[in-house]
Amino acid sequence: GAVVSQHPSRVICKSGTSVKIECRSLDFQATTMFWYRQFPKQSLMLMATSNEGSKATYEQGVEKDKFLINHASLTLSTLTVTSAHPEDSSFYICSARDGTGGSYEQYFGPGTRLTVT
Amino acid sequence: AQKVTQAQTEISVVEKEDVTLDCVYETRDTTYYLFWYKQPPSGELVFLIRRNSFDEQNEISGRYSWNFQKSTSSFNFTITASQVVDSAVYFCARRGNTGFQKLVFGTGTRLLVSP
């Protein structure tokens, strides 16, 4: 089955620093990847949609300059939280869409828990 | 916005009880897909089912069953003879068939199954 990995699984950083989270599709090519944020006891909220080789499309209310998304290849997308603050502490989940064969299924990564101190 | 509503925030049952999780969705699409995911305490989403809008047949998979009623825009999920391992947060989601085909998640229902 299609596998999506995320790295790191857990990260703690100091306020003001930047953190990069990687999302990889391991056995398929993902033309589109999605980034979600989930606060404790809440649902997944879509932050942005990234297409390989083009700029990400951000959802309303998500700061583009704070959450930098790069989808440089068909198997890798990165989310960089710049100048992180405690309120950015959250569970970040990526998903990758397999566009081959017309299935358009989304496969989710295991998530990255970010704690900003 | 085309919402997905899971009115039950939390449900507590005792092992072996049956439990139904409700999901009501809004959509303007003719073609769309509905999903259920399980999120155990580890956080990783576990895919349970996908149903497209043209297939209203109910589905059963082991102790899990799903009831899709297009007339009421509902896609309910029933766990028969619940087990402690079923304790998790369950999300219903909808995906359209145009544009980025984004998934819209419901607010989730936390299921607690006690021994």
Side-chain angles (χ1 to χ4, degrees):
Chain A
V3 179
V4 176
S5 69
Q6 275 185 248
H7 178 78
S9 58
R10 191 178 290 267
V11 59
I12 300 173
C13 71
K14 292 189 187 243
S15 191
T17 61
S18 295
V19 173
K20 181 185 283 190
I21 302 169
E22 290 186 351
C23 176
R24 292 182 186 273
S25 56
L26 298 186
D27 50 4
F28 65 97
Q29 294 188 327
T31 53
T32 304
M33 288 188 173
F34 303 87
W35 287 95
Y36 297 84
R37 179 169 52 182
Q38 185 181 30
F39 291 111
K41 299 197 175 185
Q42 292 190 26
S43 187
L44 284 76
M45 298 303 297
L46 181 66
M47 299 174 67
T49 303
S50 74
N51 286 300
E52 184 262 339
S54 61
K55 289 184 180 180
T57 300
Y58 290 81
E59 295 298 301
Q60 196 169 10
V62 177
E63 299 175 59
K64 301 177 185 183
D65 296 332
K66 182 165 188 61
F67 299 100
L68 301 179
I69 292 172
N70 186 301
H71 191 162
S73 78
L74 286 172
T75 58
L76 173 64
S77 176
T78 59
L79 167 67
T80 302
V81 184
T82 62
S83 187
H85 291 285
E87 58 265 30
D88 298 323
S89 298
S90 188
F91 192 53
Y92 292 87
I93 305 173
C94 74
S95 72
R97 187 163 72 197
D98 183 357
T100 59
S103 69
Y104 300 107
E105 286 301 334
Q106 277 190 43
Y107 300 96
F108 284 86
T112 297
R113 196 165 300 281
L114 170 64
T115 303
V116 184
T117 60
Chain B
Q2 300 177 62
K3 295 190 304 182
V4 177
T5 302
Q6 295 180 254
Q8 304 146 309
T9 305
E10 187 166 311
I11 302 175
S12 292
V13 299
V14 177
E15 227 177 359
K16 297 184 185 173
E17 283 184 26
D18 298 347
V19 59
T20 296
L21 283 60
D22 298 333
C23 173
V24 175
Y25 62 91
E26 298 173 6
T27 187
R28 291 187 290 272
D29 296 320
T30 305
T31 303
Y32 53 91
Y33 299 87
L34 301 169
F35 300 79
W36 276 95
Y37 291 91
K38 174 182 180 180
Q39 188 177 43
S42 64
E44 184 161 0
L45 282 178
V46 177
F47 167 82
L48 297 178
I49 190 172
R50 179 187 72 167
R51 171 67 73 222
N52 75 53
S53 52
F54 294 107
D55 184 0
E56 285 194 71
Q57 277 193 329
N58 292 330
E59 179 152 343
I60 298 175
S61 176
R63 295 185 297 108
Y64 295 169
S65 63
W66 291 269
N67 185 302
F68 177 27
Q69 297 278 350
K70 210 167 175 179
S71 59
T72 56
S73 298
S74 66
F75 186 43
N76 296 338
F77 172 33
T78 297
I79 301 175
T80 303
S82 59
Q83 300 176 0
V84 172
V85 293
D86 295 329
S87 297
V89 180
Y90 291 85
F91 290 99
C92 179
R94 179 195 62 77
R95 191 186 88 199
N97 203 38
T98 56
F100 289 132
Q101 299 183 17
K102 297 184 284 190
L103 269 174
V104 175
F105 284 87
T107 48
T109 296
R110 182 175 300 274
L111 175 64
L112 299 171
V113 182
S114 53

